């Protein structure tokens, strides 16, 4: 789809969506997004120009279906996949991608680390993906050099260039963690829980040198600009527990991300900001507002947040609570969390559970934000329920297979697909049925007449 | 435990907790609750007297461990169990009770309906239960008379008296639905979704008579007063979908529940108010505030609420989002929802999933409300995580068995219980480990000296 679109732009020096938006040009990607989101194309353009909406779309990911992340569009959900040293099968990763997309992932991050064939895996994932693919390039950098302490600026740029050429649409870059933040980290219960952040910090502490991603940020921007890779500015200092939430370390880094945002926009590079993590319910709104202030309303992309620390085994639920609230308050994309969080590597069923929890969070926030049409399917579902149209109910559910499976667990026979009850209350106690029967047989005109007579009689007394 | 306490009160004409509280007497139940909740006993007494805190404790449930529902105490969770026409095994119901209590249910409602041996089942449940048992007496009333249209006032009082004698600690009574609300119901997508409410409405519409529970409310109060059964004033008109949320039908009934609250308090009967149901995220706070205003701050007890209608199969998650927010805004007890909601009868695993989702909602709200000590276990968990103390982590989790099971799925061997990594990131990419190593080997004094010198040099420039 994008092959023709991008061909036309061959002779333009800059080809990022933000560049065109600032020029007043509505790209085909913006048109596509506007149609998908039911928005005015001019609004999409102006929001992209302003940096409040991003369309992560590497010019080399030509079969990508453009999508947008920002406050005028629907809330998006990201799924994480990726090979490791123990499991690095290309087909398995492509299968995880397909599972993610099936259950509604809007973007997918390939977090492969330690795998031997990372380039091949990434190539296969991008080839198979209709959604933008993001990465944390630090993982491949470490893999290539072996020891993080040996890291050079050239290593960073080499890997970024390679991944950008492959068609990665956004990079998580941990450029906001600075040497001056280190003493604040020592005050925490859990230090640095961002993988990329902790690796970067170990290099900084060893060499007593400033964050390498910060130092060469302009060179990084040049690569992003060339391929239209969006930056997902990583929060190395996101809190790893409620105790560390909203502390000075986190908020000082957030301010640096705001500075970097302006530098990126200056080069027409699209930006989103990564956020926590672990945040108690009463601090979620404040976290969202501070991001909007410090980072100039660049789209906020959060991991959860988890609203408790003792929910292990059910962290998809504890974090979906935080995610729904965050999205309602102003977050644009949610990174899903699976039931295996804090315990181990998720399997395919965990991906499904995590995705569904997050589709629920995103959807319920969109309803609350009154995004036009957001509640349409919910209203159709209510009609189907009241009509006992079970097949329609399964069809409308976010996970139709699961809904049908649960219904059929107790009433599998085809005849029950039109039954005026389910196994929860049985035929005698179904409130829908009881109400319908009572209402249908009721003479409303007579009721009205009686009520009027009663009112008259009372008035005469 | 309570046998001696209640014996002492034998000659008192009224023996409800509210009666003693108003008299300025701190009962043993209040003392017990104060200790459990880490509150001043005098505060507990004054809140019970004011009606903002209830201690549902039938004088005939003598082995009950007293607990309290209200805003000064921790958020509570209710689990529903109950036999049906198809499954009415006493042992199974007792097992469901035990499962509920194991996973943290603070009260349990026996919603048996259509079963042949309902009295026996209720007796067995109360005998086995350390937590207060609630019921919806309408279900047994219908069972005894066969046809709801034959209902008489005596039927209601007979069943209430019987259940009160058995030791039921709270009754859901649908007394707030009045004839004048009927035209509003016709405007809804889903009519009446409360089972007790729909049955009551069908009697009212058939006979053109006012709600029988409303009509004989004073007689109901007399029974409650005699046994100290708390009233859970049911919301017959709770919305069954987002479309119907916060409509006139719902709010008009809520006002009636407020009137009934004052009448109950006047007779020293404890009251809580039942609430929705299905409410979009942006209307949850308003629903809580209106209950506080209309119902004079009587404890609010809600079912979810669900924040979307298309999450079937995952409604425990969609409703846990609403429940956590509701509890944060001011709800005192949450009625759990299982993954089978809208689809069928929950099994034991569903009870577990539902309970955990709701313990998470209640706990995270208590943290946000800054209930003293609410976050202690979370902080211990964070320490255990940073120390890689896996056994301690399992122990601290809300569901230790599940946490261990998930961890062991990939790393079952005993040696991994002390490993400084898990299967999520593997040994090389564990951010805790990387941070700890970097921090431990770092010379903080030298870092400070360098920073100071740098600042001086900059100042001199």
């Amino acid at each position: 789809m994008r092959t023709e679109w991008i061909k036309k732009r061959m002779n333009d020096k800059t080809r990022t969506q933000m560049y065109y938006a600032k020029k007043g040009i509505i790209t085909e990607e913006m048109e596509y997004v506007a149609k998908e989101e039911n928005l005015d194309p001019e609004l999409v353009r102006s929001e992209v120009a302003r940096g409040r909406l991003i369309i992560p779309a590497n010019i080399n990911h030509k079969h990508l279906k453009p999508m947008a992340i920002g406050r005028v569009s629907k809330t998006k959900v990201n799924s994480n996949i990726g090979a490791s040293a123990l499991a690095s099968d290309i087909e398995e990763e492509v299968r995880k991608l397909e599972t993610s997309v099936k259950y509604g992932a809007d973007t997918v991050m390939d977090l492969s680390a330690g795998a031997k064939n990372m380039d091949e895996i990434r190539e296969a994932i991008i080839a198979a993906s209709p959604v933008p693919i993001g990465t944390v390039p630090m993982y491949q950098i470490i893999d290539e050099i072996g020891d993080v302490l040996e890291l050079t600026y050239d290593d960073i740029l080499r890997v970024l260039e390679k991944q950008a050429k492959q068609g990665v649409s956004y990079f998580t870059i941990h450029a906001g963690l600075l040497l001056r933040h280190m003493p604040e980290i020592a005050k925490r219960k859990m230090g640095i829980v961002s993988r990329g952040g902790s690796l970067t910090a170990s290099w900084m502490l060893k060499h007593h040198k400033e964050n390498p991603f910060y130092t060469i940020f302009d060179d990084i921007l040049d690569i992003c600009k060339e391929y239209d890779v969006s930056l997902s500015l990583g929060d190395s200092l996101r809190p790893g527990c409620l105790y560390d939430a909203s502390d000075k370390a986190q908020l000082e880094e957030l301010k640096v991300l705001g500075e970097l945002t302006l530098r990126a926009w200056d080069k027409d590079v699209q930006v989103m900001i990564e956020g926590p993590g672990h945040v108690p319910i009463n601090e979620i709104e404040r976290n969202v507002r501070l991001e909007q202030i410090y980072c100039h309303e660049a789209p906020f992309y959060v991991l959860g947040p988890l609203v408790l620390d003792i929910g292990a085994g059910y962290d998809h639920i504890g974090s979906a609570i935080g995610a729904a609230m965050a999205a309602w308050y102003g977050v644009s994309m949610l990174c899903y969390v699976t039931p295996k969080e804090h315990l181990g590597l998720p399997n395919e069923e965990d991906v499904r559970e995590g995705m569904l929890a997050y589709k629920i969070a995103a959807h319920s926030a969109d309803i609350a934000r009154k995004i036009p049409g957001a509640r349409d399917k919910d209203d159709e579902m209510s009609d189907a329920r009241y009509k006992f149209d079970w097949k329609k109910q399964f069809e409308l559910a976010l996970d139709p297979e699961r809904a049908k499976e649960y219904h059929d667990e107790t009433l599998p026979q085809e005849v029950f697909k039109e039954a005026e009850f389910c196994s929860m209350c049985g035929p005698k106690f179904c409130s829908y049925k009881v109400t319908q029967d009572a209402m249908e047989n009721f003479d409303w005109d007579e009721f009205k007449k009686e009520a009027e007579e009663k009112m008259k009689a009372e008035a005469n007394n």
Side-chain angles (χ1 to χ4, degrees), chain A residues 254-356:
Chain A
L254 188 63
K255 288 179 194 167
V256 179
L257 299 186
E259 294 167 31
L260 297 173
T261 298
L262 294 182
R263 285 172 63 185
W265 286 353
D266 200 45
K267 290 208 177 189
D268 298 331
V269 171
Q270 304 184 93
V271 174
M272 61 183 164
I273 306 293
E274 294 188 12
H278 295 240
V279 185
I281 284 176
N282 57 313
E283 289 179 18
I284 294 174
E285 183 169 12
R286 179 167 159 248
N287 268 268
V288 176
R289 298 291 162 256
L290 288 178
E291 187 276 343
Q292 290 169 334
I293 295 165
Y294 294 160
C295 299
H296 320 284
E297 298 179 74
F300 202 16
Y301 165 35
V302 300
L303 176 59
L306 264 165
V307 294
L308 80 170
D309 290 324
I310 57 170
Y314 303 84
D315 275 347
H316 61 311
I317 299 177
S319 65
I321 292 169
M325 293 183 70
W328 181 43
Y329 289 131
V331 156
S332 298
M333 186 155 80
L334 306 169
C335 182
Y336 89 155
V337 168
T338 78
K340 289 282 168 60
E341 187 73 17
H342 294 110
L343 295 170
L345 198 67
N347 59 30
E348 220 180 324
E349 184 57 26
D350 296 320
V351 170
R352 179 184 184 176
E353 291 279 334
M355 275 308 304
L356 263 296

